[in-house]
Amino acid sequence: RWALRRADRVIAIGEVMRERLLAKGVAPERVVVCHNWTDPERVRPVPNAENTFAREHGLAGRFVVLYAGNMGLSHEFATMLEAARDLERSSDALFLLIGGGKQTAGVRESAGQLGNVRMLPYQPEDRLAEALSAAAVHVVTLKPGMEGTLLPSKLYSSLAAARPVVFVGPEHSEPAQIVARGGCGIRVAPGDAAGFAAAVERLRGAEGRRMGEAGRTLFEAEYTRRMGTARIAAALEEVSTA
């Protein structure tokens, strides 16, 4: 708090984080919101016919629900895995988790022998667009109590890949607000496995495609790399000329 109150500028990566900073006593005029971003050249929708990653991993033609990125302590996986267990016999959905982190071993153990869950390590950066495009639905999670302390950057990659998002996390959090404002996904409360399963099935077909396109539109309007770096540059310029 000592450092925050004395800094010329404090950059928050979301409006909910800004609220936390104000509650800590940071003057409103010193807080600048600069969202995370994704490079639209690095992450873009890859057509199925061109997606070699999907073919190599047997994903072509599958209805893939993807969690990609850090499996850290701030993320929630129980809801998704319980939904996968419920859907194993009634749906052809494949739950694919790509990445790693503190919870990888626990997630692997919880998935157990589920035949509709597959895990892969982090993929090379030059295959990111293909890996993200191999899925029909993306999953973003955040544990209750973590809102305003961090913002899963995978959300912006999901928008850039033009894929609808199922967000598992608190209603008053940045991902929930972005998904609702952009009409690009569905929020599910942590622990609501039935709601998660219903959201996944709802995102099949036209509605999922519409939400994915809405996410890409929102991304191009607000969250590209050029826009994000311009916001930080403006904040630095303002301080340097004050």
Side-chain angles (χ1 to χ4, degrees):
R1 292 187 183 215
W2 185 92
L4 290 171
R5 290 174 180 173
R6 287 162 178 77
D8 292 314
R9 292 292 183 275
V10 179
I11 291 178
I13 57 173
E15 295 294 342
V16 180
M17 184 177 288
R18 180 178 183 276
E19 292 174 11
R20 274 193 179 258
L21 291 168
L22 296 181
K24 290 180 179 292
V26 183
E29 63 273 13
R30 294 186 178 184
V31 182
V32 180
V33 176
C34 297
H35 280 273
N36 286 329
W37 64 82
T38 291
D39 187 335
E41 299 302 320
R42 178 169 166 258
V43 180
R44 55 182 176 78
V46 178
N48 291 334
E50 302 173 15
N51 198 323
T52 57
F53 178 90
R55 292 196 297 273
E56 289 171 9
H57 291 278
L59 305 176
R62 299 292 304 271
F63 182 71
V64 179
V65 179
L66 173 69
Y67 179 95
N70 180 31
M71 299 180 193
L73 298 177
S74 60
H75 302 293
E76 200 266 12
F77 297 97
T79 305
M80 175 175 57
L81 293 175
E82 186 61 32
R85 186 170 288 106
D86 293 344
L87 290 171
E88 185 176 17
R89 294 184 179 180
S90 62
S91 172
D92 64 346
L94 173 66
F95 291 78
L96 176 62
L97 293 87
I98 300 177
K102 294 288 186 180
Q103 291 203 68
T104 304
V107 169
R108 193 181 302 279
E109 181 179 355
S110 297
Q113 300 301 311
L114 288 174
N116 61 345
V117 177
R118 190 184 302 177
M119 297 181 70
L120 292 173
Y122 280 111
Q123 299 299 301
E125 185 175 347
D126 62 0
R127 307 213 71 183
L128 182 59
E130 286 186 318
L132 295 178
S133 296
V137 175
H138 285 196
V139 179
V140 177
T141 72
L142 188 67
K143 285 183 177 178
M146 300 304 296
E147 57 269 38
T149 64
L150 56 85
L151 207 170
S153 57
K154 64 176 61 63
L155 173 62
Y156 302 97
S157 296
S158 299
L159 301 181
R163 294 300 185 266
V165 172
V166 175
F167 170 63
V168 182
E171 184 175 10
H172 184 65
S173 63
E174 204 74 28
Q177 293 180 6
I178 290 174
V179 165
R181 178 167 57 84
C184 49
I186 301 170
R187 186 194 79 88
V188 175
D192 184 6
F196 187 106
V200 165
E201 294 303 306
R202 177 181 160 189
L203 291 172
R204 290 179 181 267
E207 184 166 15
R209 289 192 295 272
R210 178 185 62 77
M211 286 189 172
E213 291 167 1
R216 179 70 190 194
T217 297
L218 179 64
F219 165 74
E220 291 177 346
E222 299 185 28
Y223 302 126
T224 67
R225 178 179 179 177
R226 183 179 295 276
M227 294 172 184
T229 53
R231 284 189 286 264
I232 292 178
L236 296 173
E237 183 69 20
E238 185 179 62
V239 172
S240 68
T241 58

